[in-house]
């Protein structure tokens, strides 16, 4: 392709847009398979291969069609998804596609045989999952080939960069970001423009731009999806940031567990370099900047900015005290800004459409949109992008579809393992930095795990504390020793060995850790303990005083019995039990030998008649 100019961006945008005309190109249809990690895990690669095979069976050449792939559309629970477009007609998306369903789709929409069943179709205009969302970061979801820089340019890609290079001074770029009101989406919520301003004003002949793509929260995959589906939006955001502060080198710190994201990133960087969008004299402006990718080893603590920088420098990833702050002394003691994937992906949109446009979206001090990874006990699992201020109730019950299996909502965990668990009475809390903090949770990077009545909140606190303790770097005593002691106490309580004084001890320890830990990981690690004590204290008391787990989830506190009047004498529990603890003969009720029972839950899973209690 060669080095591009600003004029070339317009030419490519027009050419690619015209190339989407299927009739003009003699293509019978455009068939796109969505192959993000969630799609591939659900069988999208097999669907893609089946598509080629089924076309061959019909004597059709793939060359007669525009066959491609793209990333996740956000509705991960409906994967594999494909999009089919016939000349002169609107594209149609199909959900939960397998080879058999694909055959019916080809016979129906593509070759005009029989009608495609309505329940195959994923209608974004009517589906409640999409209705209350507003796409800014995810605006290109499923609409471009992530490995094609032309596709990105066709959707106004790199126009914001051209504006930053030729129509704005660096100080004006900083001011535009500051006026937009965007705050860092990595968790702390610090104003992005203010961070850039500090780094712009810092003295230094060498400055760096870092992108945090480490994303270690369990259940969170927002950044991964953006990198897999729209990598150039992040690259463009980094180049604009570099122009704003005067940096010449950038690094993307991405965990090695994201192989598809790393592959897409490396490919995008190569393309950008070939086009003159990275390297020397970008777009003929005289400005130079390049980006390299650093693959992290999966340490959760490396999501903290100073630990991440230590890792990039080749040292052990541990935090350091601040000040000095990275804006003055960061990577290799040079002025550095660090933003996460979602923050940087917002930047091109802000410059292209203006700070006032972005500032008009959101709520009070939280402007713009936020992407959440909605997972757990909820019907519609996937990525959700909503205006800041949208209530948790709307996200869980309107977009998420509520709780499956006729169970009741119990809590929602926000902010990752060091976030907080909020009960039903807090569902009207807006997704806003200050409101969530006041409720006891944090925005975090955007993980949102929904829990139903089968979840034990004491065990949930123990699970997250186990994660935080395991991921502690060990540098400071409050985090290293304090989280271990919290874990020990929580473990004892779930085993029925707790004491009434443990509740006060948990609160005292948590307060000490929050006040004295070195970095954000330690300072927020007690949040799951504090919020579950605040909202679900009765469950702690049941474990300690009555040696009972109300949710029947703590194995040490439950035993199993057959409800005789419910037993149908079918023997399913007998066949499922691996410990031979179920005693049963034909035409007789089952019963359980408690001396043999290993509490594996197999009998409950096998019983269809609610006969096991």
């Amino acid at each position: 392709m060669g080095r591009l100019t600003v004029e070339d961006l317009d030419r490519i945008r027009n050419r690619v847009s015209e190339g989407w005309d299927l009739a003009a190109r003699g293509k019978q249809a455009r068939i796109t398979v969505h192959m993000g990690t969630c799609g591939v895990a659900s069988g999208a690669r097999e669907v893609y291969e089946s598509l080629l095979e089924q076309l061959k069976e019909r004597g059709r050449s793939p060359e007669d069609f525009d066959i491609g792939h793209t990333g996740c559309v956000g509705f991960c629970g409906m994967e594999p998804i494909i999009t089919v477009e016939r000349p002169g007609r609107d594209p149609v998306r199909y959900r939960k596609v397998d080879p058999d369903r694909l055959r019916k789709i080809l016979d129906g929409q593509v070759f005009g045989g029989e009608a495609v069943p309505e329940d195959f179709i994923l209608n974004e205009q009517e589906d409640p999952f999409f209705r209350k969302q507003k796409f800014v970061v995810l605006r290109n979801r499923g609409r471009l080939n992530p490995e094609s820089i032309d596709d990105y340019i066709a959707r106004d890609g790199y126009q914001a960069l051209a504006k930053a290079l030729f129509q704005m001074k660096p100080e004006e770029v900083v001011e535009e970001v500051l006026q937009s009101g965007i705050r860092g989406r990595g968790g702390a919520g610090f104003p992005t423009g203010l961070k850039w301003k500090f780094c712009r004003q810092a003295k230094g002949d060498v400055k760096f731009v870092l992108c945090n793509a480490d994303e270690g929260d369990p259940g969170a995959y927002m950044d991964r999806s953006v990198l897999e589906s729209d990598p150039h939006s992040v690259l463009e955001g980094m180049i604009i940031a570099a122009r704003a502060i005067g940096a010449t080198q950038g690094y993307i710190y991405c965990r090695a567990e994201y192989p598809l994201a790393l592959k897409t990133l490396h490919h995008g960087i190569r393309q950008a370099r070939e086009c003159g969008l990275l390297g020397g004299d970008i777009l003929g402006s005289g400005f130079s900047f390049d980006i390299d990718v650093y693959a992290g080893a999966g340490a959760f603590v490396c999501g903290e900015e100073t630990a991440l920088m230590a890792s990039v420098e080749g040292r052990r990833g541990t935090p350091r005290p601040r000040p000095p702050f990275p804006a003055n002394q960061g990577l290799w003691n040079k002025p550095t800004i660090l933003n996460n994937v979602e923050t940087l992906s917002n930047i091109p949109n802000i410059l292209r459409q203006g700070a006032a446009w972005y500032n008009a979206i959101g709520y009070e001090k939280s402007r713009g949109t936020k992407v959440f990874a909605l997972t757990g006990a909820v019907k519609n699992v996937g990525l959700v992008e909503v205006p800041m201020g949208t209530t948790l109730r709307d996200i869980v019950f309107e977009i998420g579809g509520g709780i499956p299996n006729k169970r009741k909502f119990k809590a929602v965990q926000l902010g990752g393992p060091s976030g907080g668990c909020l009960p039903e009475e807090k569902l009207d809390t807006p997704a806003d930095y200050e409101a969530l903090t006041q409720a006891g949770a944090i925005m975090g990077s955007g993980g949102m795990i929904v829990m139903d009545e089968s979840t034990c909140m004491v065990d949930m606190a123990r699970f997250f504390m186990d994660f935080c303790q395991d991921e502690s770097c060990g540098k400071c005593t409050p985090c290293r020793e304090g989280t271990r002691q919290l874990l020990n106490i929580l473990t004892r309580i779930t085993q029925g060995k707790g004491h009434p004084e443990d509740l006060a001890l948990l609160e005292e320890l948590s307060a000490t850790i929050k006040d004295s830990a070195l970095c954000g990981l330690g300072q927020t690690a007690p949040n799951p303990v504090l919020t579950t004590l605040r909202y679900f204290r009765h469950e702690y008391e049941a474990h300690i005083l009555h040696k009972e787990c109300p949710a029947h989830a703590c194995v040490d506190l439950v035993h199993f019995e057959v409800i005789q009047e419910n037993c149908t004498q079918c023997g399913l529990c007998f066949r499922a039990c691996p410990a031979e603890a179920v005693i049963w003969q034909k035409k007789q009720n089952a019963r359980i030998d408690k001396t043999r029972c290993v509490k594996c839950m197999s009998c409950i899973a096998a019983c269809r008649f609610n006969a096991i209690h």
Side-chain angles (χ1 to χ4, degrees), residues 12-142:
I12 293 171
R13 180 170 53 176
N14 294 333
R15 174 172 59 80
V16 175
S17 298
E18 292 170 359
W20 276 76
D21 188 337
L22 294 172
R25 295 167 55 213
K27 300 293 185 180
Q28 297 183 27
R30 177 179 293 111
I31 306 174
T32 305
V33 182
H34 299 269
M35 296 178 67
T37 293
C38 52
V40 172
S42 300
R45 198 177 303 281
E46 290 77 7
V47 171
Y48 188 89
E49 293 170 355
S50 179
L51 171 61
L52 300 179
E53 186 64 30
Q54 290 189 36
L55 290 176
K56 184 179 178 181
E57 290 174 2
R58 289 171 167 82
R60 305 296 184 101
S61 170
E63 299 298 323
D64 296 333
F65 301 85
D66 189 349
I67 298 175
H69 72 278
T70 185
C72 173
V73 300
F75 207 162
C76 306
M78 292 297 170
E79 295 282 3
I81 295 171
I82 69 170
T83 301
V84 179
E85 182 180 356
R86 291 288 304 276
R89 301 181 185 178
D90 292 333
V92 180
R93 281 202 172 126
Y94 297 96
R95 61 189 184 90
K96 294 188 176 181
V97 179
D98 56 24
D100 291 337
R101 183 167 284 198
L102 174 64
R103 190 177 301 277
K104 294 177 182 178
I105 293 169
L106 292 177
D107 289 338
Q109 185 186 1
V110 178
F111 297 117
E114 57 191 58
V116 177
E118 188 67 27
D119 64 346
F120 284 21
I121 297 174
L122 181 61
N123 191 322
E124 292 195 13
Q125 282 69 43
E126 297 180 6
D127 197 297
F129 180 80
F130 296 101
R131 199 175 298 151
K132 289 196 173 184
Q133 295 195 53
K134 183 175 181 61
F135 300 109
V136 177
V137 173
L138 303 180
R139 72 183 188 93
N140 289 328
R141 62 196 171 80

Side-chain angles (χ1 to χ4, degrees), residues 183 187-190 363 366 392 414-415 418-422 426 429-444 514 523-524 527 530-531 534-535:
R183 297 167 67 172
F190 190 81
Y363 178 83
S366 301
L392 301 180
L414 294 108
S418 52
C421 301
L422 302 184
K426 292 296 180 179
T429 303
D432 162 76
Y433 288 99
E434 283 71 30
L436 290 176
T437 301
Q438 186 177 1
I442 58 175
M443 182 79 73
K514 286 178 72 70
Q523 292 162 9
T524 58
N527 281 345
L530 291 173
T531 53
R534 177 178 174 182
Y535 297 119

Side-chain angles (χ1 to χ4, degrees), residues 354-367:
W357 163 81
Y358 192 82
N359 196 266
I361 307 169
Y363 178 83
E364 295 186 354
K365 296 180 181 179
S366 301
R367 314 314 301 175

